[in-house]
Amino acid sequence: MRQSLPNIVITGFMGTGKTTVGKKVAQLLGKTFYDFDQIIEERMKISIKEIFEKYGEIFFRDTESKIVIEFVSKTDVVIATGGGTLLFNNNYSVLSENSIIFCLIAQKDILRKRLENSFGRPLLSGGALSERIECLLNERKALYQKLPNPIDTSNLSLSEVASKIIEIYNQHLVTKKFNVDKK
Ligand code: S3P
């Protein structure tokens, strides 16, 4: 029986550093990195902001879920999801079948600072940034809290976050048996 390694999935609210951390973890472990938002933008040849404007959020969520299903067959890669991916449809249960999931978190004022100059995030437009963050966080708090392996990035360097993820991932490999492709 060949044993494949589970994926590392990095999720969390906008501005928690999913893409930056994902790239670092992938680089340190020599794994391939995928960013769901980037995949969607490349395939649709327009930005996430334009997708929301032209087709609406429901269409975007359906597109995300299709990508999630495509990734069922992938093993041993690092994935950064969009900030809402795992909160919609059955994306969490689909991805958790072959992945260890990490949820990055950060304090509100740190999120606001990191997101201050971000103009490509449709869910943060139309109102004061701190209010949009507060409102979305309140809506989603209970859902994010259910996700496994929370890591507060507020006072950690990029290398520290990446090391934590790698340490937890390695522990999982030792304690759990991942026979992702039992054949
Ligand atoms: C979203 C987060 C965004 C992007 C889209 C929706 C969300 O990703 O997927 O704008 O629902 O939180 P980032 O967290 O990478 O900005």
Side-chain angles (χ1 to χ4, degrees), residues 14 18 37 48 52 60-61 64 82-84 121-123 140:
M14 292 171 270
K18 301 179 289 293
D37 281 345
I48 300 287
F52 271 71
F60 174 75
R61 298 300 170 197
E64 269 188 326
R121 291 182 164 98
L123 295 180
R140 293 177 170 186

Side-chain angles (χ1 to χ4, degrees), residues 22 24 57 62 73 75 86 88-90 108 112 123 137:
K24 182 78 183 172
E57 182 169 355
D62 285 350
S73 59
T75 54
L86 294 195
F88 288 86
N89 302 324
N90 61 346
K108 253 178 266 173
R112 191 182 39 74
L123 295 180
L137 271 177

Side-chain angles (χ1 to χ4, degrees), residues 69-151:
I69 287 166
E70 276 181 40
F71 272 72
V72 165
S73 59
K74 289 233 187 289
T75 54
D76 203 14
V77 301
V78 179
I79 300 162
T81 71
T85 312
L86 294 195
L87 314 182
F88 288 86
N89 302 324
N90 61 346
N91 299 342
Y92 170 73
S93 43
V94 173
L95 274 181
S96 56
E97 273 179 34
N98 60 346
S99 310
I100 312 291
I101 293 170
F102 295 86
C103 183
L104 303 188
I105 47 184
Q107 288 156 12
K108 253 178 266 173
D109 52 329
I110 290 185
L111 289 176
R112 191 182 39 74
K113 267 200 201 112
R114 290 186 191 160
L115 293 166
E116 232 156 35
N117 296 314
S118 127
F119 302 103
R121 291 182 164 98
L123 295 180
L124 295 180
S125 60
L129 180 62
S130 45
E131 279 167 27
R132 292 297 307 137
I133 293 173
E134 175 96 37
C135 177
L136 258 185
L137 271 177
N138 284 341
E139 263 175 38
R140 293 177 170 186
K141 200 161 51 193
L143 297 171
Y144 282 126
Q145 277 169 357
K146 284 191 191 151
L147 296 175
N149 301 311
I151 298 178

